[in-house]
Amino acid sequence: MFRSGVTGLLASAAPAATPSAPSSSDPLPGLDLKLPTSANEVSASTRQAANWLDANWQGWVEGALRIVFLVLLALVLRAVVRKLITQLIGRMTRHHEHDSDYGRLGGLLANHGVVNPERRQQRAEAIGSVLRSVASFSILGTAALMVLSALGVNLAPLLASAGVAGVAIGFGARNLVTDFLSGVFMIMEDQYGVGDEIDAGVATGTVLEVGLRVTKLRGNNGEIWYIRNGEVKRIANMSQGWGTATVDVQIAYREDLERVRELIEEAAEQLGKEAPYDELIWGRAKVLGVESVAADSLVLRVEARTTPGESAKVGRALRQRLKLAFDEAGVKLKEEPAPVVAAPAVETAAPSALADPSSARSLAAKPIPLPTD
C-alpha cells in the first residue's frame, strides 16, 4: 500500500522524465546526483530519489533486521556457552568421590584428593577463564564476519589475507603458541601451583606465579626466575602428595642394634606427638636397616613420611631428638681406639772406637813401649 501511494503521488506531481543511464562510477546506481537547474529537473530528481528509496528500503530493513538478529544470536549464544562453562567448572571443583559422574575431565581436574579444595578451586577458575575467553572470541569473531557479509563486504580477500597472516604469524610466533599450549596443559594437569617447591630442570625454587606463557620462581638464594612454559621438559614437584624425611644415624660397631632400633622408634614417636610435628609427621618412623658398615661404626637409615615441603624441618628435629636420646642411653657413635702403651726408653751409649783392641785407632792409641838395653 505504501509503494502504490508513493508512486501515485510522484506520478501526479510532474510528467515523467527520462532518467540518465547509471554509470559504474555512480555511488548510488539509478540516482542522478547532479544539481538541478530548473523546476522540471527538480521534479525529475525528486521522482528519481523516491523511486530509488522505494526500490531499496525493503533491502535496508531486511539487512538491518538480519544484523540485529545476528548480534542478538551471538550475544545469547555467548551467554549460554559461558554459563555452561561456569556450571561445568563448578562441578569439577566438587569432591573427588563424585568425579566419576562428570567424565574424564572432571577426574583429571579434581586430582583425586592430592591437592586441597582451595588449590582445586583456583585451578578450575583459571581453566574456566581460558575456556570462556576462547568461546567469546570464536562466537563474536564469527558473528562479526557474518555482519560484514550482510553489509555486502566481500570476505574472500579478507579471509585470504587472514589466512596468509595466520601462516606468517604461526611461523614467527611458534614459540609463543608452544608456550601458551604448554601453560594450558600444565594448569589442567595441575603439575604445579603457586607456593609449590619445584625443580624445572633449568631452575629450582618456589612458584610465585603461574601464567599461560611464563612461570615465575623464587630461587633458594632469593633470585627470581622467569621460565617459558614451552622450555620445561620435566618438572619435579616437591610439594604435592607427601614428602620423606631421611636421616642416617651413626652408631658404634659393638652397639646392640635392637636396642638402638627401639630407642629410635621411641624418640620418633615422641616427636610425632608434640606440636607442631604432630601435623607434619604422617605415620610412624621406620628404621630401614643398616646402610653401611665401617671398622668402628654402623649407619642406620630412618625414614618418616611428612607433609609436602616439610621433610627438611622434620629431619633436623629428628636428628636433635635422637642425639638427646643416645646421650641419655649412653649409645656411642664410634668405637674408641685402644690406648697405645709406649715402650720404655733404654739409654745406650754410642760404641767407642777403642772398644776393639785390634782396631787401627785402638792400636794407634797404645803407648809407645820404652826401649830396652
Side-chain angles (χ1 to χ4, degrees):
M1 182 175 70
F2 178 76
R3 180 189 294 257
S4 60
V6 173
T7 304
L9 180 62
L10 293 177
S12 62
T18 304
S20 59
S23 61
S24 59
S25 60
D26 290 341
L28 298 176
L31 184 62
D32 190 4
L33 299 180
K34 296 180 181 180
L35 293 176
T37 58
S38 63
N40 292 332
E41 291 182 357
V42 172
S43 300
S45 299
T46 304
R47 288 194 304 271
Q48 186 180 5
N51 291 331
W52 183 79
L53 290 175
D54 190 31
N56 293 282
W57 73 272
Q58 291 184 346
W60 293 351
V61 173
E62 181 181 355
L65 292 177
R66 183 181 303 174
I67 292 174
V68 172
F69 175 76
L70 290 175
V71 172
L72 292 178
L73 179 62
L75 294 178
V76 171
L77 183 60
R78 175 177 176 268
V80 171
V81 172
R82 290 173 64 91
K83 183 65 175 179
L84 292 177
I85 293 175
T86 303
Q87 292 180 355
L88 179 62
I89 295 302
R91 291 183 177 184
M92 290 176 183
T93 56
R94 295 183 182 179
H95 197 269
H96 65 89
E97 293 180 356
H98 306 285
D99 290 336
S100 59
D101 300 336
Y102 309 115
R104 183 177 180 181
L105 185 59
L108 174 64
L109 293 179
N111 210 2
H112 296 283
V114 174
V115 295
N116 52 28
E118 292 79 7
R119 171 76 168 277
R120 190 184 304 119
Q121 178 70 23
Q122 295 175 358
R123 183 160 45 93
E125 290 178 356
I127 297 173
S129 177
V130 173
L131 293 178
R132 284 190 290 267
S133 299
V134 172
S136 299
F137 178 79
S138 301
I139 295 173
L140 296 181
T142 304
L145 293 177
M146 296 178 69
V147 169
L148 292 177
S149 177
L151 292 174
V153 178
N154 187 7
L155 298 181
L158 180 62
L159 295 178
S161 302
V164 174
V167 172
I169 294 174
F171 278 107
R174 57 185 181 275
N175 291 333
L176 181 63
V177 176
T178 302
D179 297 339
F180 179 81
L181 294 178
S182 299
V184 170
F185 282 105
M186 284 179 181
I187 295 175
M188 290 185 62
E189 297 172 0
D190 192 31
Q191 297 179 8
Y192 53 83
V194 176
D196 287 353
E197 186 78 17
I198 68 171
D199 180 2
V202 295
T204 302
T206 304
V207 179
L208 297 180
E209 181 179 347
V210 180
L212 294 178
R213 190 182 69 88
V214 175
T215 297
K216 186 187 298 185
L217 299 181
R218 171 76 69 178
N220 297 327
N221 297 326
E223 69 277 10
I224 296 180
W225 296 88
Y226 294 88
I227 304 175
R228 288 171 42 199
N229 295 330
E231 293 182 348
V232 178
K233 304 301 180 183
R234 63 165 179 82
I235 296 175
N237 194 328
M238 283 80 76
S239 300
Q240 284 188 359
W242 44 267
T244 302
T246 303
V247 177
D248 290 335
V249 182
Q250 178 180 335
I251 60 174
Y253 183 84
R254 300 183 183 278
E255 292 290 341
D256 187 0
L257 294 181
E258 292 299 327
R259 174 170 171 264
V260 173
R261 181 189 297 270
E262 294 177 358
L263 288 175
I264 293 175
E265 293 178 351
E266 182 180 354
E269 184 178 0
Q270 183 179 1
L271 178 65
K273 295 179 180 179
E274 300 177 359
Y277 302 102
D278 54 348
E279 297 181 357
L280 301 181
I281 299 178
W282 296 358
R284 298 172 59 89
K286 298 180 181 179
V287 181
L288 301 183
V290 179
E291 185 68 19
S292 62
V293 179
D296 55 355
S297 63
L298 300 174
V299 176
L300 300 178
R301 173 154 294 183
V302 183
E303 285 189 357
R305 183 169 294 186
T306 67
T307 303
E310 301 293 341
S311 56
K313 181 178 181 180
V314 174
R316 289 190 291 266
L318 185 57
R319 291 186 187 94
Q320 180 179 2
R321 190 59 57 89
L322 291 178
K323 194 266 181 186
L324 297 176
F326 286 173
D327 290 344
E328 293 179 359
V331 177
K332 299 179 180 179
L333 303 182
K334 194 174 182 181
E335 294 290 346
E336 297 180 358
V340 179
V341 179
V346 180
E347 296 183 0
T348 57
S352 175
L354 304 177
D356 187 5
S358 60
S359 63
R361 296 188 64 183
S362 179
L363 294 175
K366 288 183 178 182
I368 300 175
L370 296 174
T372 59
D373 296 338

